[in-house]
Amino acid sequence: MLIRTEIGIDAARIDALLRRCFATAREAELVQQLREDGLLTLGVVATDDEGQVLGYAAFSPVTLNGEDHQWVALAPLAVEESSRGDGLAKQLIYEGLDTLNEFGYAAVVVMGNPGFYGHLGFEPAARHQLHCRLRGAEALQVYKLADEALVQAEGLIEYAAPFAEA
């Protein structure tokens, strides 16, 4: 298995994975819209020996109180059903965090299971007086990449426009 940054030829296979992994096409359409709008900061794929996409993690920009602080959101995250339970999601996330850190990003936010993301080093955003308006915001969590990322960082996290439409 190979975990790497997505390339153009992966788009159709990523789309197919997202459509298989989620109950609706919403996540697939979200990623397509982020791509079209130039808002896909990073996409990480896991592929098998034949090039099939087994997992995917997308990262896109967010603002804090309407300003760019070099923060991104992790969403969506998808792993092929046959590959679940193998730690693939964790590998995709860590590869993304490492790459984002190398590019100088300061923090990553995610809305998801606190038990899962907490084991990966994410912490509740509410602990830092961070919140957002999207559905599921009570599960908002943050991971600092830069030492000072959370110093005096509080307020409203806003995801890219396609999230509101999704």
Side-chain angles (χ1 to χ4, degrees):
M1 180 170 321
L2 177 64
I3 297 178
R4 60 173 170 73
T5 300
E6 74 171 278
I7 55 177
I9 62 170
D10 295 324
R13 290 180 176 151
I14 291 167
D15 186 78
L17 172 75
L18 293 171
R19 290 176 190 276
R20 283 192 306 275
C21 289
F22 292 98
T24 70
R26 190 169 83 190
E27 283 79 7
E29 292 166 359
L30 170 65
V31 169
Q32 183 178 6
Q33 192 63 54
L34 289 169
R35 239 187 234 115
E36 288 174 9
D37 293 350
L39 295 172
L40 191 60
T41 303
L42 174 67
V44 180
V45 295
T47 61
D48 65 14
D49 295 338
E50 288 82 40
Q52 292 302 311
V53 174
L54 302 176
Y56 181 68
F59 298 86
S60 58
V62 296
T63 59
L64 173 59
N65 299 319
E67 297 178 11
D68 179 6
H69 288 267
Q70 292 298 101
W71 288 28
V72 296
L74 163 58
L77 171 65
V79 174
E80 188 72 61
E81 189 171 349
S82 62
S83 297
R84 292 180 191 159
D86 295 339
L88 185 53
K90 177 181 175 179
Q91 292 176 51
L92 287 163
I93 292 167
Y94 281 153
E95 181 68 25
L97 295 175
D98 287 347
T99 302
L100 291 163
N101 187 44
E102 288 176 20
F103 289 140
Y105 286 90
V108 178
V109 297
V110 67
M111 283 192 279
N113 182 312
F116 175 75
Y117 288 101
H119 284 101
L120 301 178
F122 285 80
E123 55 185 308
R127 185 179 297 164
H128 300 282
Q129 289 73 50
L130 295 166
H131 62 279
C132 78
R133 295 185 186 125
L134 294 179
R135 184 173 27 112
E138 65 279 355
L140 185 67
Q141 295 167 73
V142 63
Y143 184 99
K144 72 175 183 176
L145 294 168
D147 290 337
E148 304 296 316
L150 300 175
V151 174
Q152 297 182 344
E154 59 183 53
L156 180 64
I157 300 289
E158 291 184 280
Y159 280 61
F163 282 89
E165 300 161 7

